[in-house]
Each structure stands twice: as structure tokens, then as C-alpha cells.
Amino acid sequence: MLDQFVFFLRALKDQTGLEHFWWGNLVMIAIGATMIYLAVSKRYEPLLLVGIGFACIISNVPGSDLILPGGLFNYAYQGVALLIIPPLIFFGVGAMTDFGPMIANPKLVILGAAAHLGIFVALIGAKALGFTINEAGAIGIIGGADGPMAIFVTMKLAPHLLPQISVAAYSYMALMPLIQPPVMKLLTSRQERLIVMKQNRQVSRLERIAFPIVIGVLVNLFFPPVAPLITMLMLGNLFKEVLVVDRLAKTAANGLMNVIIIILTVAIGSTMAADTFLTVKTVEIVVLGLVAFLFGTGSGVLGAKLMNLFLKDKINPLLGSAGIASVPIAARVAHLVALQENKENYLIYHAMGPNLAGVFGTAISGGIMLALLGVK
Amino acid sequence: MIIPDSLNGAFALSFIDFFLSIVMISGIGFILALFPLLNKLGKIDEEKLRQGHH
């Protein structure tokens, strides 16, 4: 009788995940819990970190069927793997975004490319550390500070690195208010940070409607590999700007966007299983991501200073740091650093120009990279 | 693959990509600088658009 009872207990234990639990799972559960803590108590990107943290915890409980084929988390991951989710995020972002600052001051658009030197520093660093050229390219794109684009390029170049790259990209985006200001202050004088920008011109409705159509055509013509993302960004923006499909624009920007965020965060978190995540490569990718952000911020500021050598009306070089694509975090950081010097200097509207251009800069860099590496 | 999988390849990829990115985004900037010309085509009545939205 007792033997039978022990046999049943053992059979029951085999049905659970206890048999396969190891210290790595415990570490990843702690990482997931830390993400939720940062989201709740520090308000660091809560929309992203709550879902990622929870899915990370569940994915590290051995025996959980959710991440296995047929499980709900696995279906969410398929949305990312099949490149359905990233373009839909861009669709929602487009419906929320006012591209007026970018249209109004086109000369600042170049900062959207200048701030991407970090991509290439990280790419070369990754290659030097022994990653393949495709893996190095995917790691470099972290420096673009554009989550959906990082996921998109990674899925094309090195899908096995998705968990590390997406976590590094979104974590550093959340930490930009801590990462960027020291670099910005190091590379600018107080006099430069005090520069007040001239007010931008008004952008007409006709220009706002023409913008997504023109950009949509250009991107599909010149950068087909990344066209799905930018095309959807432009479709969302067209819905917003035409003013006649208000309810579609609101759905894209609110309801649909929220659903996509839930699917995306669960998908990313579900890839953070200890056996694939706790490796030296992960540490290297995280460090390279930080290098990319630091160099991107620096090159953007230096690019703005370089422009000032040729411009009659000087621009505030803090705007250069906003050329990193993370919208609107990078623009907000530039604005806040300027405010520290002069409480009347509101840079936010001006900073949105290079910030939005940074989205295109990352897409262009990613598109050229995919083309040069022969990936469609 | 056009670019070789080596450190030299990484340098080449970075240089070409950065240079072309600057050129391409400058092109977008140039096109945006022409946007005010669109206003010569006329003006859109925003109130009318808002009244008729679906």
C-alpha cells in the first residue's frame, strides 16, 4: 500500500516541472521580478516591462506549456517570428505621431543619421568579439534605439538572438534618461546648451497628408527590405492626418496598439528561458548595446556641432542626441537637459524633428544592412 | 552575401551603410524642404474635413 502511494507521488512529481528546475531558472525569475519592480516602483516603461517580466517568470517555470508549440505564449512569439507584430506597432505609432516638427525643419533631419554611429561601433565590436557578420549587424541595430526595427532586423539576420537583443534594446530605451545626459554634457559647453531655437513654421494640412504618401513611395522604392515597417507607420499617420477616418486612427493608436503591446511583451518575455539566455554572449550583447547607445548619443551631438560650423542660425547641439530613434524618450531627454540650464528654453518640439528622423535613419541603416548582407 | 564575414567586412559594411544613410536621409530632407511648394496648390478646409469624418 505504502509502495503504491510512493509510486503515485513519484508519478505526480514527474508530471510537474520540479524535476527540471535549476538555478538558472531562479536567476531568470529574479530578473523577471526585477523588471516588474522597476515598472511598478520606478515607472520605467511599465507598458513593456510588466508583460515581459511576467512572461519571463512563467517561461522559467519548467513544465509550463505556454511556451511550447500550441501554447498561447508560443502563438504570441509566432506573431513576432512571422514579422506580423513589428509592422503593426509601427501602424499604431504612426497614428499617434505628429510629423509636423520634421516637416517644418528639414535641415535637422540629417541628425537622424548622424546619431547612428553607435550602430556601426557596436557592429564592429561584435565582429571583433567573434559574432558572425549577420549577428553583429543585428546587435548593432540596438544602437538605433528602435524596438520594432531591432526585432525586425534581428528576425531577418539572427533570429536566435531575439531575446537578448530585444531585452537590451527595450531596457536601454527605458534607461535613456540616465544614459544620455552625461554624454550630452561632456560634449557641449554651457553656452551651447543655452542656445534658444527659432520658432518653426506652421505645417499645412496638405503637407501633412502628402508626407506619409511621399515617404511610403520612397521607402518602398529604395528600401524594400524594411518597407513593411515604414509603410505601416505611414498608413497609421495618413489615417491621423486626413481627419476623415478619425475612428480608424483612434483604434490604431489606442485599442489595437494596446493589444499589440500585450502580444509583443508576452512574446519577448517567453523567449527568456534560462538555458538560452544565461550565456556569455548575452553579457557581450548587453555591453555592446550600451556602447551603441553612448556612441549614438555622442555622434548625434557632435553632428549638430558640425552643422553649427556652417549654419547662420545656430542650433542647440543637444538636439543631436535626439537623433536616436527612441520616440519620444530621446527628444524628452534633450528637452530636460536644456531646461536644467534655462527654465524658459523649451526644446521638445524642435527635438521631435531629429527624433522622428531617427526612426527613418534606423530604418535606412537596417535596410542598407539587409541589402548588403544579401538578406530579403 | 556581398560583404565577407570578417572584421574587414564589418568595417566595410559600417562605412558603406553610414555613408549611404547620410546620403539617403539628406535626400529625404531635401524633399521635405520642397514641401512648402505644395501650398501653392491650394488650401484644405480642415473644418469641412472634421465635420464629414466617419
Side-chain angles (χ1 to χ4, degrees):
Chain A
M1 181 70 184
L2 186 67
D3 282 353
Q4 212 168 17
F5 183 66
V6 171
F7 174 77
F8 278 133
L9 274 184
R10 197 166 289 158
L12 196 65
K13 183 171 164 267
D14 288 345
Q15 293 274 317
T16 70
L18 289 171
E19 195 73 20
H20 305 285
F21 198 85
W22 63 295
W23 64 265
N25 295 124
L26 207 59
V27 172
M28 293 309 295
I29 287 172
I31 289 175
T34 306
M35 285 180 173
I36 295 174
Y37 167 77
L38 289 174
V40 175
S41 67
K42 304 281 181 191
R43 293 277 196 276
Y44 284 162
E45 297 291 322
L47 288 177
L48 299 172
L49 291 186
V50 172
I52 295 176
F54 183 75
C56 171
I57 291 171
I58 297 303
S59 303
N60 281 283
V61 178
S64 170
D65 283 346
L66 282 164
I67 59 168
L68 301 175
L72 197 57
F73 286 8
N74 187 265
Y75 281 119
Y77 175 73
Q78 292 308 316
V80 175
L82 296 170
L83 298 177
I84 297 165
I85 300 299
L88 285 176
I89 294 174
F90 263 48
F91 178 54
V93 171
M96 286 194 280
T97 305
D98 174 10
F99 282 93
M102 187 176 155
I103 303 168
N105 201 347
K107 66 173 177 281
L108 296 185
V109 166
I110 198 151
L111 294 173
H116 286 98
L117 192 66
I119 292 177
F120 308 110
V121 173
L123 189 158
I124 292 166
K127 188 62 216 160
L129 285 172
F131 288 93
T132 67
I133 193 94
N134 280 20
E135 290 173 337
I139 293 166
I141 282 292
I142 297 173
D146 183 334
M149 189 61 73
I151 291 170
F152 190 86
V153 172
T154 301
M155 289 310 296
K156 296 253 181 187
L157 290 178
H160 56 286
L161 294 182
L162 179 70
Q164 290 91 334
I165 289 175
S166 53
V167 168
Y170 278 109
S171 303
Y172 287 134
M173 280 160 63
L175 294 173
M176 276 173 80
L178 300 176
I179 295 170
Q180 285 196 301
V183 181
M184 294 156 77
K185 287 176 183 171
L186 186 72
L187 296 176
T188 53
S189 65
R190 184 165 186 274
Q191 278 322 98
E192 287 173 320
R193 293 196 292 274
L194 282 169
I195 293 174
V196 177
M197 298 290 294
K198 267 188 171 176
Q199 196 172 356
N200 281 343
R201 70 176 178 88
Q202 287 280 327
V203 177
S204 72
R205 182 59 47 191
L206 184 58
E207 290 175 81
R208 288 172 182 276
I209 293 173
F211 176 79
I213 299 168
V214 170
I215 296 291
V217 171
L218 286 177
V219 167
N220 278 278
L221 197 58
F222 291 105
F223 308 103
V226 290
L229 291 182
I230 299 296
T231 304
M232 291 307 286
L233 181 78
M234 293 298 99
L235 178 62
N237 189 245
L238 185 63
F239 281 174
K240 173 182 183 290
E241 298 297 357
V242 290
L243 301 179
V244 293
V245 285
D246 208 25
R247 72 181 211 216
L248 296 186
K250 279 182 180 157
T251 301
N254 298 303
L256 180 64
M257 188 67 168
N258 290 340
V259 171
I260 295 300
I261 286 172
I262 294 168
I263 297 172
L264 176 76
T265 55
V266 163
I268 292 173
S270 69
T271 60
M272 293 172 69
D275 48 351
T276 55
F277 203 82
L278 289 179
T279 61
V280 176
K281 278 195 168 186
T282 300
V283 178
E284 290 173 346
I285 290 169
V286 168
V287 172
L288 286 166
L290 180 62
V291 168
F293 269 64
L294 292 173
F295 271 88
T297 304
S299 67
V301 172
L302 292 177
K305 289 176 75 149
L306 186 66
M307 283 174 71
N308 272 345
L309 296 177
F310 306 98
L311 291 173
K312 202 174 118 200
D313 293 322
K314 306 295 179 201
I315 59 171
N316 191 316
L318 295 177
L319 295 178
S321 66
I324 280 190
S326 179
V327 179
I329 307 172
R332 208 184 305 138
V333 173
H335 171 71
L336 291 174
V337 173
L339 269 189
Q340 284 172 6
E341 304 291 351
N342 175 5
K343 298 278 178 233
E344 306 285 308
N345 194 3
Y346 295 101
L347 272 193
I348 188 75
Y349 188 78
H350 303 281
M352 282 306 291
N355 200 192
L356 293 166
V359 176
F360 296 101
T362 308
I364 290 169
S365 291
I368 294 169
M369 195 182 288
L370 291 174
L372 289 174
L373 292 174
V375 177
K376 289 192 174 174
Chain B
M1 188 184 287
I2 304 167
I3 299 284
D5 191 351
S6 64
L7 196 56
N8 281 343
F11 274 105
L13 174 63
S14 300
F15 179 77
I16 297 168
D17 196 335
F18 191 53
F19 175 73
L20 285 180
S21 296
I22 296 267
V23 171
M24 292 293 181
I25 209 141
S26 301
I28 290 177
F30 176 74
I31 289 167
L32 291 181
L34 301 176
F35 262 45
L37 296 175
L38 286 171
N39 297 320
K40 291 189 175 174
L41 296 173
K43 201 181 165 199
I44 292 177
D45 186 345
E46 292 191 17
E47 275 313 303
K48 209 170 162 185
L49 288 179
R50 282 201 173 91
Q51 280 165 12
H53 81 77
H54 296 280

